[in-house]
Amino acid sequence: MKNRNPHGSGAKGPDELRQQIEQTRSQLGDTVAQLVGKADVKGRARARAADLRDKAGAMTVQLRASAAHAGHSVQDTAARTGHAVQDTAARTGHAVQDRASRTGHVVQDRALHAGHAVQDRALHAGHAAQDRAGRAGQAVQVAVPRSVRGALRSGRRRPGPLLAVGVLSAAAVSAVVVWRRRHHN
């Protein structure tokens, strides 16, 4: 067998030969270390697992931070939206309340005017009826029995009860008119 020199030339002296031997030993040591490292499957698996655990831990921390940030962002948006809806609802409620109040006042005023108009008509109708009754009572005094004549005279002297009946009738008519307008419109 021939000795082959990896460098292609032989050693020129013992010092150079020692140097080449030392270099070859170093290269063989590195090669053996590499082979041992490749042969240590458990060690490589542990190192890989530790590396993956570190990466997973870092990713978990990052995902938790992102989720917390997104949660806070959604919470802030929901709170702002809730406040906006609440403000809009309050403004709308006040507007509806104001309109209802104004409408109520208008209806109340109209009912009051209608009631006064009916009262005036009833008062005039009562006076006219009283006048006619008084004239009729005087004209037919002979044919009317005495008990009825007394009632007619007291009606002429004290028109209050007759007017009260007229006013109450007018108020009832105006209440019916207002009720019908509210429930039929």
Side-chain angles (χ1 to χ4, degrees):
M1 254 186 141
K2 271 187 169 178
N3 253 346
R4 290 189 182 165
N5 187 353
H7 298 295
S9 63
K12 294 191 182 179
D15 288 337
E16 191 175 327
L17 182 60
R18 281 188 197 112
Q19 205 175 26
Q20 284 178 358
I21 291 173
E22 193 60 39
Q23 188 178 11
T24 304
R25 277 187 188 156
S26 174
Q27 288 174 351
L28 278 175
D30 290 343
T31 304
V32 169
Q34 287 175 356
L35 286 174
V36 168
K38 287 183 180 181
D40 186 18
V41 175
K42 285 184 182 178
R44 284 191 358 225
R46 283 188 200 119
R48 179 73 175 146
D51 185 41
L52 289 175
R53 270 194 305 271
D54 290 344
K55 286 182 181 178
M59 190 175 284
T60 300
V61 168
Q62 185 179 7
L63 288 174
R64 283 184 181 164
S66 295
H69 179 69
H72 289 301
S73 177
V74 167
Q75 190 176 18
D76 291 343
T77 302
R80 281 193 306 273
T81 303
H83 289 302
V85 167
Q86 191 176 17
D87 291 344
T88 302
R91 283 194 305 271
T92 303
H94 289 301
V96 167
Q97 190 176 15
D98 289 343
R99 286 184 189 148
S101 178
R102 284 193 303 261
T103 303
H105 287 299
V106 167
V107 168
Q108 202 174 25
D109 289 343
R110 288 181 184 169
L112 184 65
H113 290 299
H116 284 286
V118 170
Q119 268 183 335
D120 288 343
R121 288 184 194 142
L123 183 64
H124 290 299
H127 284 298
Q130 214 174 17
D131 288 343
R132 276 188 237 125
R135 279 182 270 156
Q138 289 172 354
V140 192
Q141 206 168 21
V142 177
V144 176
R146 284 188 172 192
S147 60
V148 176
R149 276 189 241 159
L152 288 174
R153 276 191 223 119
S154 73
R156 279 192 304 204
R157 279 182 272 163
R158 292 182 306 164
L162 185 60
L163 288 177
V165 169
V167 168
L168 288 175
S169 299
V173 168
S174 67
V176 168
V177 168
V178 168
W179 182 83
R180 280 192 171 184
R181 284 186 182 170
R182 282 187 184 170
H183 288 83
H184 294 292
N185 285 339

mmCIF file with all atom_site columns, all heavy atoms in Angstrom, residues 144-163:
data_model
loop_
_atom_site.group_PDB
_atom_site.id
_atom_site.type_symbol
_atom_site.label_atom_id
_atom_site.label_alt_id
_atom_site.label_comp_id
_atom_site.label_asym_id
_atom_site.label_entity_id
_atom_site.label_seq_id
_atom_site.pdbx_PDB_ins_code
_atom_site.Cartn_x
_atom_site.Cartn_y
_atom_site.Cartn_z
_atom_site.occupancy
_atom_site.B_iso_or_equiv
_atom_site.pdbx_formal_charge
_atom_site.auth_seq_id
_atom_site.auth_comp_id
_atom_site.auth_asym_id
_atom_site.auth_atom_id
_atom_site.pdbx_PDB_model_num
ATOM 1   N N   . VAL A 1 144 ? -152.824 76.134 31.416 1.00 0.00 ? 144 VAL A N   1
ATOM 2   C CA  . VAL A 1 144 ? -151.819 75.405 32.182 1.00 0.00 ? 144 VAL A CA  1
ATOM 3   C C   . VAL A 1 144 ? -152.312 75.260 33.610 1.00 0.00 ? 144 VAL A C   1
ATOM 4   O O   . VAL A 1 144 ? -152.769 76.219 34.216 1.00 0.00 ? 144 VAL A O   1
ATOM 5   C CB  . VAL A 1 144 ? -150.479 76.159 32.145 1.00 0.00 ? 144 VAL A CB  1
ATOM 6   C CG1 . VAL A 1 144 ? -149.432 75.494 33.008 1.00 0.00 ? 144 VAL A CG1 1
ATOM 7   C CG2 . VAL A 1 144 ? -149.998 76.311 30.731 1.00 0.00 ? 144 VAL A CG2 1
ATOM 8   N N   . PRO A 1 145 ? -152.163 74.064 34.155 1.00 0.00 ? 145 PRO A N   1
ATOM 9   C CA  . PRO A 1 145 ? -152.601 73.880 35.544 1.00 0.00 ? 145 PRO A CA  1
ATOM 10  C C   . PRO A 1 145 ? -151.745 74.721 36.497 1.00 0.00 ? 145 PRO A C   1
ATOM 11  O O   . PRO A 1 145 ? -150.635 75.090 36.186 1.00 0.00 ? 145 PRO A O   1
ATOM 12  C CB  . PRO A 1 145 ? -152.361 72.383 35.794 1.00 0.00 ? 145 PRO A CB  1
ATOM 13  C CG  . PRO A 1 145 ? -152.092 71.765 34.479 1.00 0.00 ? 145 PRO A CG  1
ATOM 14  C CD  . PRO A 1 145 ? -151.759 72.842 33.523 1.00 0.00 ? 145 PRO A CD  1
ATOM 15  N N   . ARG A 1 146 ? -152.242 74.980 37.655 1.00 0.00 ? 146 ARG A N   1
ATOM 16  C CA  . ARG A 1 146 ? -151.578 75.850 38.615 1.00 0.00 ? 146 ARG A CA  1
ATOM 17  C C   . ARG A 1 146 ? -150.220 75.300 39.056 1.00 0.00 ? 146 ARG A C   1
ATOM 18  O O   . ARG A 1 146 ? -149.288 76.071 39.263 1.00 0.00 ? 146 ARG A O   1
ATOM 19  C CB  . ARG A 1 146 ? -152.463 76.021 39.845 1.00 0.00 ? 146 ARG A CB  1
ATOM 20  C CG  . ARG A 1 146 ? -153.569 76.930 39.597 1.00 0.00 ? 146 ARG A CG  1
ATOM 21  C CD  . ARG A 1 146 ? -154.263 77.210 40.882 1.00 0.00 ? 146 ARG A CD  1
ATOM 22  N NE  . ARG A 1 146 ? -155.215 78.250 40.568 1.00 0.00 ? 146 ARG A NE  1
ATOM 23  C CZ  . ARG A 1 146 ? -155.859 78.930 41.428 1.00 0.00 ? 146 ARG A CZ  1
ATOM 24  N NH1 . ARG A 1 146 ? -155.713 78.681 42.693 1.00 0.00 ? 146 ARG A NH1 1
ATOM 25  N NH2 . ARG A 1 146 ? -156.689 79.856 41.074 1.00 0.00 ? 146 ARG A NH2 1
ATOM 26  N N   . SER A 1 147 ? -150.065 73.997 39.222 1.00 0.00 ? 147 SER A N   1
ATOM 27  C CA  . SER A 1 147 ? -148.794 73.424 39.685 1.00 0.00 ? 147 SER A CA  1
ATOM 28  C C   . SER A 1 147 ? -147.685 73.652 38.645 1.00 0.00 ? 147 SER A C   1
ATOM 29  O O   . SER A 1 147 ? -146.549 73.949 38.985 1.00 0.00 ? 147 SER A O   1
ATOM 30  C CB  . SER A 1 147 ? -148.941 71.933 39.967 1.00 0.00 ? 147 SER A CB  1
ATOM 31  O OG  . SER A 1 147 ? -149.343 71.256 38.786 1.00 0.00 ? 147 SER A OG  1
ATOM 32  N N   . VAL A 1 148 ? -148.039 73.562 37.370 1.00 0.00 ? 148 VAL A N   1
ATOM 33  C CA  . VAL A 1 148 ? -147.062 73.794 36.311 1.00 0.00 ? 148 VAL A CA  1
ATOM 34  C C   . VAL A 1 148 ? -146.754 75.277 36.214 1.00 0.00 ? 148 VAL A C   1
ATOM 35  O O   . VAL A 1 148 ? -145.612 75.665 35.975 1.00 0.00 ? 148 VAL A O   1
ATOM 36  C CB  . VAL A 1 148 ? -147.571 73.224 34.966 1.00 0.00 ? 148 VAL A CB  1
ATOM 37  C CG1 . VAL A 1 148 ? -146.617 73.548 33.833 1.00 0.00 ? 148 VAL A CG1 1
ATOM 38  C CG2 . VAL A 1 148 ? -147.786 71.734 35.074 1.00 0.00 ? 148 VAL A CG2 1
ATOM 39  N N   . ARG A 1 149 ? -147.766 76.126 36.424 1.00 0.00 ? 149 ARG A N   1
ATOM 40  C CA  . ARG A 1 149 ? -147.523 77.564 36.377 1.00 0.00 ? 149 ARG A CA  1
ATOM 41  C C   . ARG A 1 149 ? -146.514 77.978 37.433 1.00 0.00 ? 149 ARG A C   1
ATOM 42  O O   . ARG A 1 149 ? -145.646 78.812 37.180 1.00 0.00 ? 149 ARG A O   1
ATOM 43  C CB  . ARG A 1 149 ? -148.840 78.332 36.605 1.00 0.00 ? 149 ARG A CB  1
ATOM 44  C CG  . ARG A 1 149 ? -149.648 78.495 35.375 1.00 0.00 ? 149 ARG A CG  1
ATOM 45  C CD  . ARG A 1 149 ? -150.800 79.435 35.621 1.00 0.00 ? 149 ARG A CD  1
ATOM 46  N NE  . ARG A 1 149 ? -152.016 78.683 35.375 1.00 0.00 ? 149 ARG A NE  1
ATOM 47  C CZ  . ARG A 1 149 ? -153.203 78.973 35.819 1.00 0.00 ? 149 ARG A CZ  1
ATOM 48  N NH1 . ARG A 1 149 ? -153.368 80.018 36.579 1.00 0.00 ? 149 ARG A NH1 1
ATOM 49  N NH2 . ARG A 1 149 ? -154.227 78.242 35.517 1.00 0.00 ? 149 ARG A NH2 1
ATOM 50  N N   . GLY A 1 150 ? -146.597 77.393 38.609 1.00 0.00 ? 150 GLY A N   1
ATOM 51  C CA  . GLY A 1 150 ? -145.642 77.708 39.685 1.00 0.00 ? 150 GLY A CA  1
ATOM 52  C C   . GLY A 1 150 ? -144.213 77.321 39.286 1.00 0.00 ? 150 GLY A C   1
ATOM 53  O O   . GLY A 1 150 ? -143.267 78.050 39.546 1.00 0.00 ? 150 GLY A O   1
ATOM 54  N N   . ALA A 1 151 ? -144.047 76.163 38.650 1.00 0.00 ? 151 ALA A N   1
ATOM 55  C CA  . ALA A 1 151 ? -142.722 75.716 38.219 1.00 0.00 ? 151 ALA A CA  1
ATOM 56  C C   . ALA A 1 151 ? -142.170 76.648 37.152 1.00 0.00 ? 151 ALA A C   1
ATOM 57  O O   . ALA A 1 151 ? -140.982 76.987 37.151 1.00 0.00 ? 151 ALA A O   1
ATOM 58  C CB  . ALA A 1 151 ? -142.786 74.281 37.687 1.00 0.00 ? 151 ALA A CB  1
ATOM 59  N N   . LEU A 1 152 ? -143.012 77.099 36.250 1.00 0.00 ? 152 LEU A N   1
ATOM 60  C CA  . LEU A 1 152 ? -142.570 78.022 35.199 1.00 0.00 ? 152 LEU A CA  1
ATOM 61  C C   . LEU A 1 152 ? -142.145 79.359 35.796 1.00 0.00 ? 152 LEU A C   1
ATOM 62  O O   . LEU A 1 152 ? -141.155 79.951 35.382 1.00 0.00 ? 152 LEU A O   1
ATOM 63  C CB  . LEU A 1 152 ? -143.668 78.230 34.156 1.00 0.00 ? 152 LEU A CB  1
ATOM 64  C CG  . LEU A 1 152 ? -143.929 77.046 33.219 1.00 0.00 ? 152 LEU A CG  1
ATOM 65  C CD1 . LEU A 1 152 ? -145.134 77.351 32.334 1.00 0.00 ? 152 LEU A CD1 1
ATOM 66  C CD2 . LEU A 1 152 ? -142.716 76.762 32.379 1.00 0.00 ? 152 LEU A CD2 1
ATOM 67  N N   . ARG A 1 153 ? -142.909 79.860 36.758 1.00 0.00 ? 153 ARG A N   1
ATOM 68  C CA  . ARG A 1 153 ? -142.544 81.124 37.390 1.00 0.00 ? 153 ARG A CA  1
ATOM 69  C C   . ARG A 1 153 ? -141.218 81.007 38.138 1.00 0.00 ? 153 ARG A C   1
ATOM 70  O O   . ARG A 1 153 ? -140.390 81.916 38.090 1.00 0.00 ? 153 ARG A O   1
ATOM 71  C CB  . ARG A 1 153 ? -143.651 81.561 38.364 1.00 0.00 ? 153 ARG A CB  1
ATOM 72  C CG  . ARG A 1 153 ? -144.758 82.283 37.681 1.00 0.00 ? 153 ARG A CG  1
ATOM 73  C CD  . ARG A 1 153 ? -145.699 82.940 38.687 1.00 0.00 ? 153 ARG A CD  1
ATOM 74  N NE  . ARG A 1 153 ? -147.051 82.684 38.226 1.00 0.00 ? 153 ARG A NE  1
ATOM 75  C CZ  . ARG A 1 153 ? -147.986 82.034 38.859 1.00 0.00 ? 153 ARG A CZ  1
ATOM 76  N NH1 . ARG A 1 153 ? -147.769 81.590 40.072 1.00 0.00 ? 153 ARG A NH1 1
ATOM 77  N NH2 . ARG A 1 153 ? -149.151 81.841 38.316 1.00 0.00 ? 153 ARG A NH2 1
ATOM 78  N N   . SER A 1 154 ? -141.010 79.898 38.848 1.00 0.00 ? 154 SER A N   1
ATOM 79  C CA  . SER A 1 154 ? -139.745 79.744 39.590 1.00 0.00 ? 154 SER A CA  1
ATOM 80  C C   . SER A 1 154 ? -138.578 79.637 38.607 1.00 0.00 ? 154 SER A C   1
ATOM 81  O O   . SER A 1 154 ? -137.479 80.093 38.900 1.00 0.00 ? 154 SER A O   1
ATOM 82  C CB  . SER A 1 154 ? -139.798 78.541 40.521 1.00 0.00 ? 154 SER A CB  1
ATOM 83  O OG  . SER A 1 154 ? -139.718 77.352 39.779 1.00 0.00 ? 154 SER A OG  1
ATOM 84  N N   . GLY A 1 155 ? -138.778 79.044 37.442 1.00 0.00 ? 155 GLY A N   1
ATOM 85  C CA  . GLY A 1 155 ? -137.735 78.972 36.416 1.00 0.00 ? 155 GLY A CA  1
ATOM 86  C C   . GLY A 1 155 ? -137.391 80.347 35.892 1.00 0.00 ? 155 GLY A C   1
ATOM 87  O O   . GLY A 1 155 ? -136.232 80.641 35.580 1.00 0.00 ? 155 GLY A O   1
ATOM 88  N N   . ARG A 1 156 ? -138.376 81.232 35.796 1.00 0.00 ? 156 ARG A N   1
ATOM 89  C CA  . ARG A 1 156 ? -138.085 82.592 35.335 1.00 0.00 ? 156 ARG A CA  1
ATOM 90  C C   . ARG A 1 156 ? -137.387 83.390 36.423 1.00 0.00 ? 156 ARG A C   1
ATOM 91  O O   . ARG A 1 156 ? -136.514 84.197 36.142 1.00 0.00 ? 156 ARG A O   1
ATOM 92  C CB  . ARG A 1 156 ? -139.381 83.305 34.947 1.00 0.00 ? 156 ARG A CB  1
ATOM 93  C CG  . ARG A 1 156 ? -139.849 82.937 33.574 1.00 0.00 ? 156 ARG A CG  1
ATOM 94  C CD  . ARG A 1 156 ? -140.929 83.841 33.124 1.00 0.00 ? 156 ARG A CD  1
ATOM 95  N NE  . ARG A 1 156 ? -142.013 83.811 34.110 1.00 0.00 ? 156 ARG A NE  1
ATOM 96  C CZ  . ARG A 1 156 ? -143.264 84.099 33.874 1.00 0.00 ? 156 ARG A CZ  1
ATOM 97  N NH1 . ARG A 1 156 ? -143.633 84.471 32.680 1.00 0.00 ? 156 ARG A NH1 1
ATOM 98  N NH2 . ARG A 1 156 ? -144.181 84.034 34.789 1.00 0.00 ? 156 ARG A NH2 1
ATOM 99  N N   . ARG A 1 157 ? -137.774 83.167 37.672 1.00 0.00 ? 157 ARG A N   1
ATOM 100 C CA  . ARG A 1 157 ? -137.154 83.921 38.752 1.00 0.00 ? 157 ARG A CA  1
ATOM 101 C C   . ARG A 1 157 ? -135.746 83.415 39.058 1.00 0.00 ? 157 ARG A C   1
ATOM 102 O O   . ARG A 1 157 ? -134.881 84.208 39.379 1.00 0.00 ? 157 ARG A O   1
ATOM 103 C CB  . ARG A 1 157 ? -138.000 83.812 40.029 1.00 0.00 ? 157 ARG A CB  1
ATOM 104 C CG  . ARG A 1 157 ? -139.160 84.779 40.010 1.00 0.00 ? 157 ARG A CG  1
ATOM 105 C CD  . ARG A 1 157 ? -139.944 84.684 41.267 1.00 0.00 ? 157 ARG A CD  1
ATOM 106 N NE  . ARG A 1 157 ? -140.922 83.619 41.009 1.00 0.00 ? 157 ARG A NE  1
ATOM 107 C CZ  . ARG A 1 157 ? -141.613 82.983 41.914 1.00 0.00 ? 157 ARG A CZ  1
ATOM 108 N NH1 . ARG A 1 157 ? -141.478 83.269 43.166 1.00 0.00 ? 157 ARG A NH1 1
ATOM 109 N NH2 . ARG A 1 157 ? -142.462 82.054 41.590 1.00 0.00 ? 157 ARG A NH2 1
ATOM 110 N N   . ARG A 1 158 ? -135.519 82.092 38.986 1.00 0.00 ? 158 ARG A N   1
ATOM 111 C CA  . ARG A 1 158 ? -134.203 81.506 39.284 1.00 0.00 ? 158 ARG A CA  1
ATOM 112 C C   . ARG A 1 158 ? -133.748 80.670 38.072 1.00 0.00 ? 158 ARG A C   1
ATOM 113 O O   . ARG A 1 158 ? -133.991 79.476 37.998 1.00 0.00 ? 158 ARG A O   1
ATOM 114 C CB  . ARG A 1 158 ? -134.282 80.618 40.507 1.00 0.00 ? 158 ARG A CB  1
ATOM 115 C CG  . ARG A 1 158 ? -134.542 81.414 41.778 1.00 0.00 ? 158 ARG A CG  1
ATOM 116 C CD  . ARG A 1 158 ? -134.561 80.535 42.983 1.00 0.00 ? 158 ARG A CD  1
ATOM 117 N NE  . ARG A 1 158 ? -135.515 79.441 42.777 1.00 0.00 ? 158 ARG A NE  1
ATOM 118 C CZ  . ARG A 1 158 ? -135.564 78.339 43.490 1.00 0.00 ? 158 ARG A CZ  1
ATOM 119 N NH1 . ARG A 1 158 ? -134.734 78.169 44.465 1.00 0.00 ? 158 ARG A NH1 1
ATOM 120 N NH2 . ARG A 1 158 ? -136.433 77.400 43.244 1.00 0.00 ? 158 ARG A NH2 1
ATOM 121 N N   . PRO A 1 159 ? -133.077 81.310 37.142 1.00 0.00 ? 159 PRO A N   1
ATOM 122 C CA  . PRO A 1 159 ? -132.670 80.573 35.931 1.00 0.00 ? 159 PRO A CA  1
ATOM 123 C C   . PRO A 1 159 ? -131.413 79.702 36.152 1.00 0.00 ? 159 PRO A C   1
ATOM 124 O O   . PRO A 1 159 ? -131.008 78.963 35.267 1.00 0.00 ? 159 PRO A O   1
ATOM 125 C CB  . PRO A 1 159 ? -132.370 81.680 34.924 1.00 0.00 ? 159 PRO A CB  1
ATOM 126 C CG  . PRO A 1 159 ? -132.011 82.866 35.743 1.00 0.00 ? 159 PRO A CG  1
ATOM 127 C CD  . PRO A 1 159 ? -132.806 82.749 37.020 1.00 0.00 ? 159 PRO A CD  1
ATOM 128 N N   . GLY A 1 160 ? -130.809 79.758 37.314 1.00 0.00 ? 160 GLY A N   1
ATOM 129 C CA  . GLY A 1 160 ? -129.566 79.017 37.584 1.00 0.00 ? 160 GLY A CA  1
ATOM 130 C C   . GLY A 1 160 ? -129.658 77.524 37.296 1.00 0.00 ? 160 GLY A C   1
ATOM 131 O O   . GLY A 1 160 ? -128.806 76.968 36.594 1.00 0.00 ? 160 GLY A O   1
ATOM 132 N N   . PRO A 1 161 ? -130.620 76.807 37.842 1.00 0.00 ? 161 PRO A N   1
ATOM 133 C CA  . PRO A 1 161 ? -130.673 75.359 37.589 1.00 0.00 ? 161 PRO A CA  1
ATOM 134 C C   . PRO A 1 161 ? -130.820 75.029 36.095 1.00 0.00 ? 161 PRO A C   1
ATOM 135 O O   . PRO A 1 161 ? -130.198 74.101 35.591 1.00 0.00 ? 161 PRO A O   1
ATOM 136 C CB  . PRO A 1 161 ? -131.893 74.882 38.371 1.00 0.00 ? 161 PRO A CB  1
ATOM 137 C CG  . PRO A 1 161 ? -132.077 75.903 39.442 1.00 0.00 ? 161 PRO A CG  1
ATOM 138 C CD  . PRO A 1 161 ? -131.599 77.200 38.847 1.00 0.00 ? 161 PRO A CD  1
ATOM 139 N N   . LEU A 1 162 ? -131.604 75.820 35.394 1.00 0.00 ? 162 LEU A N   1
ATOM 140 C CA  . LEU A 1 162 ? -131.772 75.573 33.962 1.00 0.00 ? 162 LEU A CA  1
ATOM 141 C C   . LEU A 1 162 ? -130.474 75.826 33.213 1.00 0.00 ? 162 LEU A C   1
ATOM 142 O O   . LEU A 1 162 ? -130.091 75.056 32.324 1.00 0.00 ? 162 LEU A O   1
ATOM 143 C CB  . LEU A 1 162 ? -132.891 76.479 33.412 1.00 0.00 ? 162 LEU A CB  1
ATOM 144 C CG  . LEU A 1 162 ? -133.275 76.251 31.954 1.00 0.00 ? 162 LEU A CG  1
ATOM 145 C CD1 . LEU A 1 162 ? -133.772 74.827 31.748 1.00 0.00 ? 162 LEU A CD1 1
ATOM 146 C CD2 . LEU A 1 162 ? -134.343 77.243 31.535 1.00 0.00 ? 162 LEU A CD2 1
ATOM 147 N N   . LEU A 1 163 ? -129.747 76.896 33.605 1.00 0.00 ? 163 LEU A N   1
ATOM 148 C CA  . LEU A 1 163 ? -128.457 77.183 32.975 1.00 0.00 ? 163 LEU A CA  1
ATOM 149 C C   . LEU A 1 163 ? -127.439 76.096 33.307 1.00 0.00 ? 163 LEU A C   1
ATOM 150 O O   . LEU A 1 163 ? -126.628 75.705 32.457 1.00 0.00 ? 163 LEU A O   1
ATOM 151 C CB  . LEU A 1 163 ? -127.939 78.546 33.425 1.00 0.00 ? 163 LEU A CB  1
ATOM 152 C CG  . LEU A 1 163 ? -128.679 79.752 32.855 1.00 0.00 ? 163 LEU A CG  1
ATOM 153 C CD1 . LEU A 1 163 ? -128.114 81.031 33.452 1.00 0.00 ? 163 LEU A CD1 1
ATOM 154 C CD2 . LEU A 1 163 ? -128.542 79.781 31.356 1.00 0.00 ? 163 LEU A CD2 1
#
